[in-house]
Amino acid sequence: MLIIPVKDGENIDRALKRFKRKFDRTGTMRQLRKRQAFSKPSIERRAQIQKAQYIQHLRDQEEI
């Protein structure tokens, strides 16, 4: 649970902005979206390999 202390005289928009920033850093929404649909470990591994190949291809193009 996130607790954001609001100081006396502090603007509510500023406190809300601090809450949103802290909420994003915890990664709660990413974790919820990931849990919505199950994907097999082999498919996750394949996606990681494809991403690594793509990044390596970009780095190789950068060197040329």
Side-chain angles (χ1 to χ4, degrees), residues 29-41 43-44:
M29 286 305 291
R30 279 178 278 157
Q31 190 178 37
L32 276 174
R33 287 188 184 120
K34 184 179 178 186
R35 289 182 181 189
Q36 281 181 343
F38 177 77
S39 60
K40 293 175 17 180
I43 294 175
E44 289 180 7

Side-chain angles (χ1 to χ4, degrees), residues 2-37:
L2 294 175
I3 298 173
I4 305 296
V6 179
K7 300 170 186 163
D8 291 338
E10 183 180 18
N11 191 356
I12 192 69
D13 292 330
R14 188 175 175 101
L16 185 61
K17 188 173 184 178
R18 283 194 297 138
F19 171 77
K20 287 181 180 179
R21 194 177 321 129
K22 196 171 188 180
F23 184 75
D24 285 340
R25 286 183 184 155
T26 59
T28 307
M29 286 305 291
R30 279 178 278 157
Q31 190 178 37
L32 276 174
R33 287 188 184 120
K34 184 179 178 186
R35 289 182 181 189
Q36 281 181 343

